[in-house]
Amino acid sequence: MDKKEAFALLQVPEHASSKEIKQAFERLYEANKQLLEHAPLESQKQLYRKRMSQYWQAYASLVDIGKQENISKFSGEEMSKKSTPEMKMTGKPGKFFQSEPKPDKKKDLNELPWKPIAVAALIGLGIFIAWKIIFAIPAPVKELMAQMEYISGGTFEMGCTQEQRGKCADNELPGHAVTLSSFQIGKFEVTRAQWYAVMKYYPKAGSPCNQPNCPIVQVSWEEVQLFLQKLNKMTGQSFRLPTEAEWEYAARGGNASRNAVFAGSNQFNQIARLANAPYPVGSLAANEKQLFNMSGNVWEWCQDGFDANYYKNSPKANPQGQSTASCKVIRGGSFKSKENSMRVSSRNCLDKNQHSEEVGFRLAITFSR
């Protein structure tokens, strides 16, 4: 790996010090290690292992990993892996080579029952090919699955908090402590390409942003429930909409929150913009948890029904909202919204059978050990 590629992979400038490079490596490695531990599918685990290996190789190509100050808490973990070639230092700064793992002892070829093995292999290959043709998960859905971010559970102040004072509506009162279990949430809003890969149609009411990576809009809460059913059948997972509390906790940055007014900043134009149409997901800056467009772009459906007085009697742990309410919570504001509606505590709702060019959604999934 050349140095330019390594700097880009670790997201550090080329003039970064060894200490800054080490910090960036450990931050990225730790984040993917957590995702690896919590990933429900083997395909996701393979992706995270690959990323961790790439981060290690980038780090080793930029610093002398033999120096004491460059030894990372993950160095021993990477050097001792037996599933990958052993890393050995050459003695030169930033250089290393790989030696192949020792092969296992194998039986004499004449001892193996070749005919049954060959027949079983052919049968297995046929089944595998048929499975790939019939049940293969479309690329946009695989992308969606890989873009789920782990949010560690914790306790936070929900509603009208200190930085929101003077801007809050009555339905944001009172501010109250909420404790949430760990969960995963989409890094981006669900896109048009991902919607089509599952549903095989686009909404009849079009969108002024019609690129594949634009957020899907003009879908009602009820239609999203059908999308979730089909997606879960396709993937074998349990995707859902986030609860209102999960959405706000994630928008605020989870346990890394800097208590910003908007999702990731106190200046809305750093993370959102007013426009004539939605813009492709991932535009502008992310928040503390690397979640994009949680302020602005499109309002996002939540699982909860809306109750303007819910905060007065909200459960302290994992609140689920008013389940029977027909008006479902939407959060985050849109490309047309006023600045005040883009705040992380701002609440709104839309009837579950209605749709709008300003309303889309992102996914969540319960984390279970």
Side-chain angles (χ1 to χ4, degrees), residues 59-80:
Y59 179 59
S61 69
L62 294 177
V63 303
D64 183 353
I65 57 177
K67 285 187 175 181
Q68 182 65 32
E69 63 268 23
N70 294 331
I71 294 177
S72 166
K73 59 183 177 180
F74 300 119
S75 296
E77 184 176 324
E78 278 293 325
M79 298 287 281
S80 63

Side-chain angles (χ1 to χ4, degrees), residues 39-49 145-146 148 237:
L41 289 184
E42 184 59 34
S43 59
Q44 288 178 283
K45 291 180 180 179
Q46 291 176 0
L47 173 65
Y48 299 136
R49 289 191 193 103
M145 294 166 67
M148 300 299 291
Q237 296 203 42

Side-chain angles (χ1 to χ4, degrees), residues 46 83 85 93 97 129 137 168 171 241 246 269 297:
Q46 291 176 0
S83 59
F97 65 89
I129 292 173
I137 297 176
C168 300
N171 61 32
L241 288 173
E246 288 173 336
N269 56 6
N297 206 12

